[in-house]
Amino acid sequence: MADLSGPARASRPAFAFPARRLGAPLLSLLLALGAGGADARVRLGELLPAHPWQSAEREVVVVYTHDCGDLGELWGAVLRSGLPVRAVNAEDVTSPAPAGLKPWRGPEATQFARQLKVGTYPAVLLVRGGRILNAWEGTFQGTGLTKGE
């Protein structure tokens, strides 16, 4: 057995995240979003309501409105996740999404958000197999989503 005392032990990290299993970009997104909010009303494990896109095995859905403020850091974190990203612009006022994303807009997009029971925009949903695996709602601060005011 190797001797783990002394300098060799000090240079080793005590714990390493399983970056291969989760994928480093996805892990970065999860760390940026922080823990799922206890105030989120979106129900985990439920199927996504009807939507116009072809579902992927894993994907991120961002539901946002025109009054969410600057979402640049949030979009950056989501796009770096390496997962397909779906943008849902709810509540009838057009708001842009990053280049390369075509937001779903209109009454159907708003109905989608209401069927999800989104309590605070923006809402970020991590979806696997069409089911909501995790949800974050609120104001993105770059270190996590906090409850909106």
Side-chain angles (χ1 to χ4, degrees), residues 56-140:
E57 174 57 26
R58 291 191 309 172
E59 59 192 347
V60 177
V61 178
V62 179
V63 185
Y64 68 102
T65 66
H66 69 286
D67 60 354
C68 285
D70 181 7
L71 296 179
E73 287 187 57
L74 173 63
W75 284 121
V78 168
L79 292 171
R80 285 189 303 272
S81 73
L83 297 175
V85 177
R86 317 303 182 188
V88 180
N89 181 194
E91 305 302 335
D92 302 325
V93 178
T94 301
S95 185
L101 289 181
K102 184 178 184 216
W104 179 29
R105 296 182 168 112
E108 294 86 7
T110 299
Q111 182 62 30
F112 175 85
R114 292 186 180 156
Q115 286 176 334
L116 286 169
K117 296 182 175 69
V118 170
T120 306
Y121 296 106
V124 179
L125 313 175
L126 180 59
V127 179
R128 183 174 186 174
R131 294 191 180 278
I132 301 166
L133 185 63
N134 212 337
W136 299 266
E137 295 181 348
T139 305
F140 185 72

XYZ file of all heavy atoms in Angstrom, residues 56-140:
647
model
N -35.106 15.650 -26.873
C -33.831 14.938 -26.817
C -33.824 14.102 -25.539
O -34.652 14.312 -24.647
C -32.681 15.943 -26.803
N -32.882 13.181 -25.423
C -32.789 12.371 -24.208
C -32.595 13.269 -22.988
O -33.237 13.107 -21.978
C -31.642 11.361 -24.320
C -31.367 10.571 -23.052
C -32.569 9.790 -22.500
O -33.475 9.420 -23.269
O -32.608 9.561 -21.281
N -31.679 14.242 -23.098
C -31.476 15.249 -22.045
C -31.481 16.607 -22.725
O -30.898 16.773 -23.796
C -30.148 15.046 -21.313
C -30.117 13.805 -20.478
C -28.922 13.735 -19.554
N -27.664 13.971 -20.248
C -26.505 14.117 -19.630
N -26.437 14.082 -18.325
N -25.396 14.305 -20.316
N -32.113 17.574 -22.098
C -32.183 18.922 -22.648
C -32.436 19.923 -21.540
O -32.831 19.553 -20.430
C -33.274 19.024 -23.718
C -34.666 18.678 -23.233
C -35.673 18.498 -24.362
O -35.389 18.858 -25.514
O -36.760 17.982 -24.084
N -32.183 21.180 -21.856
C -32.437 22.276 -20.922
C -33.505 23.162 -21.550
O -33.401 23.553 -22.715
C -31.158 23.103 -20.661
C -31.459 24.276 -19.735
C -30.060 22.235 -20.074
N -34.532 23.475 -20.775
C -35.601 24.367 -21.236
C -35.542 25.629 -20.385
O -35.567 25.556 -19.153
C -36.990 23.689 -21.092
C -38.100 24.641 -21.530
C -37.042 22.389 -21.883
N -35.441 26.778 -21.045
C -35.427 28.064 -20.354
C -36.729 28.784 -20.684
O -37.013 29.055 -21.846
C -34.224 28.932 -20.784
C -34.244 30.273 -20.057
C -32.914 28.208 -20.536
N -37.518 29.048 -19.657
C -38.785 29.771 -19.811
C -38.549 31.166 -19.244
O -38.196 31.316 -18.075
C -39.935 29.065 -19.063
C -41.258 29.766 -19.337
C -40.015 27.590 -19.463
N -38.726 32.181 -20.084
C -38.396 33.545 -19.679
C -39.398 34.541 -20.244
O -40.215 34.192 -21.099
C -36.971 33.898 -20.142
C -36.828 34.006 -21.644
C -36.782 35.251 -22.265
C -36.764 32.866 -22.451
C -36.665 35.358 -23.638
C -36.658 32.971 -23.818
C -36.600 34.216 -24.406
O -36.499 34.318 -25.771
N -39.327 35.770 -19.754
C -40.186 36.849 -20.235
C -39.340 38.085 -20.527
O -38.143 38.113 -20.235
C -41.259 37.231 -19.203
O -40.610 37.802 -18.068
C -42.100 36.045 -18.795
N -40.000 39.110 -21.032
C -39.310 40.354 -21.377
C -38.782 41.096 -20.156
O -37.854 41.877 -20.257
C -40.256 41.272 -22.159
C -41.379 41.800 -21.320
N -42.448 41.001 -20.934
C -41.576 43.002 -20.759
C -43.260 41.723 -20.181
N -42.765 42.935 -20.056
N -39.342 40.855 -18.993
C -38.941 41.621 -17.807
C -37.990 40.852 -16.885
O -37.883 41.151 -15.705
C -40.155 42.122 -17.035
C -41.061 41.011 -16.546
O -40.826 39.841 -16.893
O -42.012 41.314 -15.811
N -37.241 39.902 -17.443
C -36.277 39.129 -16.643
C -34.957 39.864 -16.456
O -34.121 39.422 -15.675
C -36.000 37.780 -17.302
S -37.336 36.597 -17.107
N -34.760 40.954 -17.181
C -33.486 41.662 -17.068
C -32.441 41.025 -17.958
O -32.750 40.282 -18.889
N -31.178 41.292 -17.647
C -30.066 40.779 -18.439
C -29.836 39.311 -18.111
O -29.434 38.971 -17.000
C -28.809 41.605 -18.143
C -27.604 41.143 -18.949
O -27.756 40.274 -19.833
O -26.507 41.659 -18.691
N -30.079 38.457 -19.078
C -29.907 37.009 -18.883
C -28.630 36.499 -19.544
O -28.469 35.292 -19.726
C -31.109 36.255 -19.448
C -32.453 36.521 -18.772
C -33.563 35.724 -19.454
C -32.387 36.203 -17.300
N -27.710 37.408 -19.869
C -26.489 37.016 -20.572
C -25.711 35.917 -19.877
O -25.302 34.938 -20.504
N -25.477 36.048 -18.570
C -24.729 35.021 -17.828
C -25.497 33.706 -17.784
O -24.906 32.628 -17.893
C -24.423 35.496 -16.415
C -23.346 36.558 -16.351
C -22.977 36.857 -14.911
O -22.594 35.911 -14.194
O -23.091 38.026 -14.516
N -26.803 33.788 -17.611
C -27.625 32.575 -17.580
C -27.565 31.866 -18.924
O -27.314 30.665 -18.988
C -29.067 32.911 -17.223
C -30.059 31.743 -17.314
C -29.692 30.650 -16.320
C -31.467 32.222 -17.074
N -27.786 32.606 -20.008
C -27.728 31.990 -21.336
C -26.360 31.377 -21.567
O -26.253 30.273 -22.105
C -28.045 33.008 -22.433
C -29.485 33.361 -22.575
C -30.030 34.606 -22.466
C -30.582 32.482 -22.874
N -31.388 34.552 -22.672
C -31.758 33.265 -22.929
C -30.687 31.116 -23.094
C -33.007 32.726 -23.204
C -31.945 30.575 -23.367
C -33.087 31.382 -23.418
N -25.300 32.073 -21.156
C -23.948 31.541 -21.330
C -23.773 30.212 -20.616
O -23.241 29.247 -21.178
N -24.212 30.133 -19.368
C -24.098 28.897 -18.594
C -24.915 27.774 -19.228
O -24.452 26.635 -19.326
C -24.541 29.132 -17.148
N -26.111 28.095 -19.674
C -26.987 27.088 -20.288
C -26.383 26.590 -21.599
O -26.331 25.381 -21.855
C -28.399 27.664 -20.497
C -29.234 26.779 -21.385
C -29.088 27.883 -19.160
N -25.900 27.503 -22.426
C -25.343 27.107 -23.715
C -24.056 26.303 -23.564
O -23.763 25.432 -24.383
C -25.117 28.334 -24.598
C -26.403 29.024 -25.059
C -26.085 30.347 -25.729
C -27.206 28.122 -25.987
N -23.285 26.559 -22.520
C -22.057 25.791 -22.278
C -22.334 24.399 -21.711
O -21.422 23.591 -21.586
C -21.133 26.560 -21.318
C -20.425 27.730 -21.959
C -19.372 28.332 -21.040
N -19.894 28.775 -19.757
C -20.408 29.980 -19.505
N -20.467 30.886 -20.466
N -20.852 30.278 -18.305
N -23.592 24.091 -21.372
C -23.923 22.795 -20.778
C -23.689 21.631 -21.731
O -23.556 20.497 -21.295
C -25.378 22.773 -20.300
O -26.270 22.696 -21.409
N -23.658 21.907 -23.017
C -23.482 20.833 -23.986
C -24.771 20.098 -24.313
O -24.767 19.158 -25.096
N -25.881 20.521 -23.719
C -27.180 19.899 -23.977
C -27.980 20.752 -24.952
O -27.765 21.960 -25.051
C -27.969 19.774 -22.674
C -27.354 18.891 -21.596
C -28.184 18.962 -20.325
C -27.240 17.457 -22.075
N -28.938 20.147 -25.654
C -29.840 20.958 -26.472
C -30.579 21.947 -25.569
O -30.997 21.600 -24.462
C -30.816 19.931 -27.069
C -30.111 18.612 -26.954
C -29.225 18.718 -25.752
N -30.732 23.187 -26.045
C -31.387 24.239 -25.270
C -32.653 24.665 -25.992
O -32.644 24.937 -27.196
C -30.445 25.457 -25.081
C -31.153 26.577 -24.341
C -29.180 25.041 -24.351
N -33.749 24.722 -25.248
C -35.048 25.180 -25.774
C -35.397 26.492 -25.083
O -35.388 26.570 -23.846
C -36.150 24.166 -25.486
C -35.791 22.720 -25.723
C -35.322 22.426 -27.110
N -35.054 20.981 -27.216
C -34.492 20.441 -28.253
N -34.104 21.175 -29.267
N -34.287 19.133 -28.289
N -35.686 27.509 -25.855
C -36.048 28.824 -25.316
C -37.553 29.015 -25.461
O -38.097 28.872 -26.555
C -35.304 29.926 -26.060
N -38.210 29.340 -24.354
C -39.658 29.573 -24.346
C -39.894 30.988 -23.843
O -39.699 31.285 -22.668
C -40.388 28.554 -23.445
C -41.886 28.814 -23.452
C -40.082 27.124 -23.886
N -40.290 31.873 -24.756
C -40.562 33.279 -24.441
C -42.060 33.408 -24.139
O -42.884 33.466 -25.035
C -40.148 34.145 -25.621
C -40.344 35.626 -25.417
O -40.292 36.382 -26.360
N -40.561 36.096 -24.199
N -42.395 33.412 -22.841
C -43.796 33.419 -22.410
C -44.310 34.831 -22.169
O -43.549 35.791 -22.161
C -43.931 32.595 -21.130
N -45.585 34.947 -21.957
C -46.294 36.158 -21.525
C -46.414 37.254 -22.571
O -46.468 38.434 -22.244
C -45.688 36.712 -20.226
C -45.627 35.711 -19.090
C -46.979 35.121 -18.684
O -48.033 35.746 -18.910
O -46.967 34.010 -18.129
N -46.454 36.897 -23.833
C -46.906 37.759 -24.934
C -46.023 38.928 -25.349
O -46.348 39.595 -26.311
C -48.314 38.305 -24.654
C -49.332 37.190 -24.455
O -49.198 36.155 -25.128
O -50.224 37.351 -23.617
N -44.947 39.251 -24.659
C -44.078 40.349 -25.089
C -42.774 39.737 -25.582
O -42.095 39.016 -24.855
C -43.811 41.352 -23.946
C -42.864 42.446 -24.396
C -45.123 41.950 -23.446
N -42.430 40.032 -26.834
C -41.254 39.449 -27.457
C -39.972 39.874 -26.760
O -39.778 41.040 -26.444
C -41.195 39.869 -28.943
O -42.384 39.407 -29.576
C -40.003 39.271 -29.637
N -39.123 38.898 -26.511
C -37.814 39.126 -25.915
C -36.823 38.220 -26.633
O -37.144 37.068 -26.925
C -37.863 38.801 -24.421
O -36.641 39.112 -23.808
N -35.627 38.725 -26.932
C -34.686 37.921 -27.716
C -34.074 36.769 -26.936
O -34.045 36.763 -25.714
C -33.608 38.935 -28.111
C -33.644 39.961 -27.022
C -35.081 40.039 -26.590
N -33.588 35.817 -27.699
C -32.792 34.703 -27.166
C -31.431 34.794 -27.854
O -31.279 35.520 -28.842
C -33.475 33.380 -27.482
N -30.436 34.099 -27.360
C -29.115 34.153 -27.995
C -29.155 33.698 -29.453
O -30.025 32.920 -29.856
C -28.277 33.192 -27.157
C -28.982 33.054 -25.874
C -30.432 33.244 -26.178
N -28.184 34.172 -30.217
C -28.058 33.758 -31.614
C -28.007 32.239 -31.687
O -27.375 31.589 -30.861
C -26.799 34.365 -32.230
N -28.713 31.697 -32.652
C -28.735 30.250 -32.828
C -29.916 29.570 -32.164
O -30.193 28.415 -32.457
N -30.604 30.277 -31.263
C -31.796 29.720 -30.623
C -33.025 30.420 -31.178
O -33.072 31.648 -31.236
C -31.766 29.926 -29.111
C -30.769 29.121 -28.308
C -30.919 29.449 -26.823
C -30.949 27.633 -28.527
N -34.000 29.636 -31.556
C -35.262 30.207 -32.016
C -36.285 30.038 -30.899
O -36.748 28.931 -30.634
C -35.745 29.509 -33.279
C -37.004 30.140 -33.821
C -37.473 29.502 -35.092
C -38.673 30.277 -35.564
N -39.664 29.468 -36.179
N -36.625 31.149 -30.214
C -37.571 31.007 -29.102
C -38.971 30.645 -29.578
O -39.410 31.065 -30.642
C -37.572 32.382 -28.442
C -36.784 33.284 -29.300
C -36.157 32.496 -30.393
N -39.643 29.869 -28.760
C -41.051 29.564 -28.974
C -41.822 30.684 -28.292
O -41.617 30.976 -27.114
C -41.356 28.210 -28.352
C -42.779 27.762 -28.482
C -43.666 28.078 -29.466
C -43.464 26.889 -27.591
N -44.863 27.438 -29.236
C -44.760 26.707 -28.091
C -43.104 26.237 -26.419
C -45.702 25.902 -27.465
C -44.038 25.435 -25.796
C -45.321 25.269 -26.316
N -42.707 31.329 -29.037
C -43.458 32.482 -28.533
C -44.942 32.301 -28.802
O -45.353 31.438 -29.545
C -42.999 33.756 -29.245
C -41.579 34.121 -28.998
C -41.228 35.434 -29.713
N -39.961 35.927 -29.259
C -38.873 35.975 -30.013
N -38.922 35.591 -31.270
N -37.743 36.431 -29.510
N -45.715 33.196 -28.200
C -47.140 33.241 -28.465
C -47.964 32.612 -27.357
O -47.438 32.190 -26.319
N -49.274 32.546 -27.581
C -50.182 32.026 -26.555
C -49.875 30.591 -26.141
O -50.030 30.238 -24.970
C -51.573 32.121 -27.199
C -51.429 32.955 -28.410
C -49.983 33.013 -28.755
N -49.413 29.771 -27.094
C -49.090 28.388 -26.752
C -47.889 28.316 -25.819
O -47.835 27.478 -24.910
C -48.835 27.550 -28.010
C -50.057 27.378 -28.882
C -50.257 28.536 -29.869
O -49.367 29.415 -29.976
O -51.316 28.565 -30.511
N -46.903 29.192 -26.019
C -45.729 29.228 -25.138
C -46.139 29.660 -23.729
O -45.671 29.104 -22.731
C -44.674 30.164 -25.707
N -47.028 30.647 -23.644
C -47.521 31.093 -22.336
C -48.317 29.987 -21.661
O -48.160 29.738 -20.461
C -48.374 32.368 -22.495
O -47.544 33.393 -23.058
C -48.937 32.831 -21.169
N -49.133 29.278 -22.431
C -49.897 28.151 -21.875
C -48.963 27.057 -21.363
O -49.199 26.475 -20.303
C -50.853 27.589 -22.937
C -51.728 26.455 -22.441
C -52.658 26.883 -21.314
O -53.083 28.027 -21.223
N -52.973 25.955 -20.434
N -47.879 26.799 -22.087
C -46.865 25.833 -21.674
C -46.321 26.220 -20.294
O -46.263 25.395 -19.382
C -45.746 25.824 -22.724
C -44.561 24.962 -22.408
C -44.563 23.608 -22.718
C -43.421 25.510 -21.844
C -43.451 22.820 -22.450
C -42.301 24.736 -21.574
C -42.325 23.379 -21.881
N -45.953 27.492 -20.119
C -45.414 27.964 -18.835
C -46.454 27.821 -17.726
O -46.120 27.434 -16.601
C -44.968 29.418 -18.956
N -47.693 28.104 -18.024
C -48.746 28.003 -17.007
C -49.048 26.554 -16.651
O -49.312 26.245 -15.484
C -49.982 28.750 -17.479
C -49.684 30.245 -17.511
C -50.845 31.091 -17.813
N -50.408 32.490 -17.819
C -51.008 33.453 -18.448
N -52.116 33.199 -19.131
N -50.534 34.682 -18.406
N -48.990 25.664 -17.635
C -49.195 24.244 -17.333
C -48.064 23.703 -16.460
O -48.282 22.825 -15.633
C -49.311 23.430 -18.619
C -50.629 23.622 -19.330
C -50.687 22.877 -20.652
O -49.679 22.608 -21.289
N -51.903 22.553 -21.068
N -46.865 24.253 -16.645
C -45.738 23.872 -15.791
C -45.876 24.439 -14.383
O -45.200 23.993 -13.469
C -44.414 24.391 -16.386
C -43.869 23.672 -17.591
C -42.721 24.458 -18.197
C -43.411 22.271 -17.206
N -46.711 25.461 -14.241
C -46.883 26.181 -12.970
C -45.624 26.955 -12.582
O -45.216 26.985 -11.418
C -47.309 25.238 -11.850
C -48.665 24.601 -12.093
C -49.059 23.706 -10.934
C -50.437 23.166 -11.087
N -50.640 22.203 -12.130
N -45.001 27.592 -13.593
C -43.829 28.427 -13.332
C -44.258 29.543 -12.396
O -45.221 30.265 -12.650
C -43.246 29.001 -14.641
C -42.185 30.044 -14.352
C -42.679 27.876 -15.497
N -43.542 29.691 -11.274
C -43.873 30.713 -10.285
C -43.098 31.993 -10.487
O -43.602 33.078 -10.228
N -41.853 31.891 -10.945
C -40.989 33.052 -11.136
C -40.152 32.837 -12.383
O -39.600 31.758 -12.576
C -40.046 33.234 -9.917
O -40.826 33.288 -8.730
C -39.231 34.500 -10.034
N -40.081 33.860 -13.214
C -39.236 33.799 -14.407
C -37.882 34.430 -14.095
O -37.829 35.344 -13.292
C -39.880 34.579 -15.547
C -41.193 34.008 -16.013
C -42.377 34.644 -15.676
C -41.259 32.859 -16.789
C -43.597 34.134 -16.089
C -42.474 32.347 -17.209
C -43.637 32.993 -16.864
O -44.848 32.480 -17.276
N -36.806 33.974 -14.707
C -36.741 32.835 -15.615
C -36.821 31.516 -14.853
O -36.504 31.463 -13.667
C -35.359 32.979 -16.258
C -34.538 33.647 -15.220
C -35.485 34.572 -14.499
N -37.253 30.500 -15.569
C -37.251 29.140 -15.031
C -36.362 28.304 -15.937
O -36.449 28.405 -17.164
C -38.665 28.573 -15.002
N -35.485 27.534 -15.334
C -34.595 26.650 -16.080
C -34.926 25.225 -15.672
O -34.905 24.898 -14.484
C -33.107 26.964 -15.780
C -32.197 26.017 -16.555
C -32.785 28.413 -16.092
N -35.237 24.407 -16.661
C -35.615 23.027 -16.406
C -34.590 22.091 -17.011
O -34.241 22.225 -18.187
C -36.980 22.718 -17.034
C -38.109 23.711 -16.792
C -39.346 23.307 -17.573
C -38.402 23.825 -15.313
N -34.100 21.178 -16.234
C -33.257 20.103 -16.734
C -34.193 18.932 -16.967
O -34.877 18.477 -16.039
C -32.167 19.751 -15.720
C -31.210 18.635 -16.116
C -30.477 18.956 -17.418
C -30.214 18.368 -14.996
N -34.250 18.472 -18.212
C -35.228 17.461 -18.617
C -34.495 16.215 -19.107
O -33.507 16.318 -19.839
C -36.138 18.025 -19.733
C -37.147 16.983 -20.200
C -36.839 19.287 -19.257
N -34.994 15.078 -18.685
C -34.436 13.800 -19.143
C -35.590 12.888 -19.522
O -36.495 12.663 -18.724
C -33.599 13.158 -18.045
C -32.964 11.884 -18.499
C -32.028 11.341 -17.473
N -31.358 10.190 -18.048
C -30.397 9.550 -17.463
N -29.972 9.932 -16.288
N -29.852 8.516 -18.043
N -35.554 12.400 -20.753
C -36.599 11.492 -21.215
C -37.977 12.129 -21.187
O -38.964 11.446 -20.958
N -38.043 13.452 -21.400
C -39.317 14.157 -21.404
C -39.836 14.527 -20.025
O -40.856 15.193 -19.902
N -39.147 14.109 -18.969
C -39.571 14.403 -17.595
C -38.650 15.427 -16.951
O -37.449 15.433 -17.192
C -39.582 13.136 -16.751
C -40.628 12.148 -17.196
C -40.799 11.015 -16.196
N -41.801 10.077 -16.645
C -43.107 10.250 -16.489
N -43.567 11.307 -15.883
N -43.959 9.356 -16.940
N -39.219 16.262 -16.098
C -38.469 17.310 -15.428
C -37.621 16.672 -14.327
O -38.150 16.114 -13.366
C -39.415 18.374 -14.855
C -40.241 18.979 -15.986
C -38.619 19.453 -14.114
C -41.434 19.783 -15.529
N -36.316 16.769 -14.490
C -35.367 16.191 -13.540
C -35.049 17.191 -12.430
O -34.925 16.829 -11.274
C -34.097 15.797 -14.286
C -33.018 15.073 -13.521
C -33.525 13.730 -13.013
C -31.800 14.850 -14.426
N -34.913 18.473 -12.797
C -34.660 19.518 -11.815
C -35.167 20.833 -12.371
O -35.309 20.987 -13.576
C -33.169 19.615 -11.469
C -32.952 20.053 -10.031
O -33.818 20.669 -9.426
N -31.794 19.743 -9.487
N -35.447 21.780 -11.483
C -35.991 23.076 -11.892
C -35.424 24.172 -10.999
O -35.257 23.975 -9.798
C -37.515 23.059 -11.780
N -35.127 25.297 -11.614
C -34.666 26.489 -10.898
C -35.537 27.646 -11.360
O -35.842 27.773 -12.549
C -33.216 26.798 -11.242
C -32.254 25.721 -10.875
C -31.532 25.622 -9.721
C -31.882 24.582 -11.657
N -30.749 24.504 -9.738
C -30.948 23.841 -10.920
C -32.266 24.104 -12.922
C -30.374 22.669 -11.388
C -31.693 22.934 -13.386
C -30.765 22.224 -12.625
N -35.942 28.486 -10.444
C -36.752 29.659 -10.782
C -36.169 30.870 -10.073
O -35.711 30.758 -8.943
C -38.201 29.490 -10.316
C -38.946 28.382 -11.013
C -40.390 28.264 -10.526
O -40.758 28.878 -9.517
O -41.150 27.545 -11.173
N -36.211 32.004 -10.724
C -35.819 33.226 -10.044
C -34.839 34.068 -10.803
O -34.726 33.975 -12.013
N -34.113 34.890 -10.078
C -33.182 35.840 -10.645
C -31.793 35.238 -10.641
O -31.278 34.892 -9.587
C -33.187 37.145 -9.822
O -34.524 37.618 -9.762
C -32.290 38.187 -10.443
N -31.200 35.101 -11.807
C -29.879 34.503 -11.916
C -28.832 35.540 -11.554
O -28.806 36.637 -12.092
C -29.648 34.001 -13.337
C -28.359 33.271 -13.508
C -28.189 32.007 -12.972
C -27.312 33.840 -14.203
C -27.000 31.325 -13.126
C -26.123 33.162 -14.364
C -25.963 31.908 -13.830
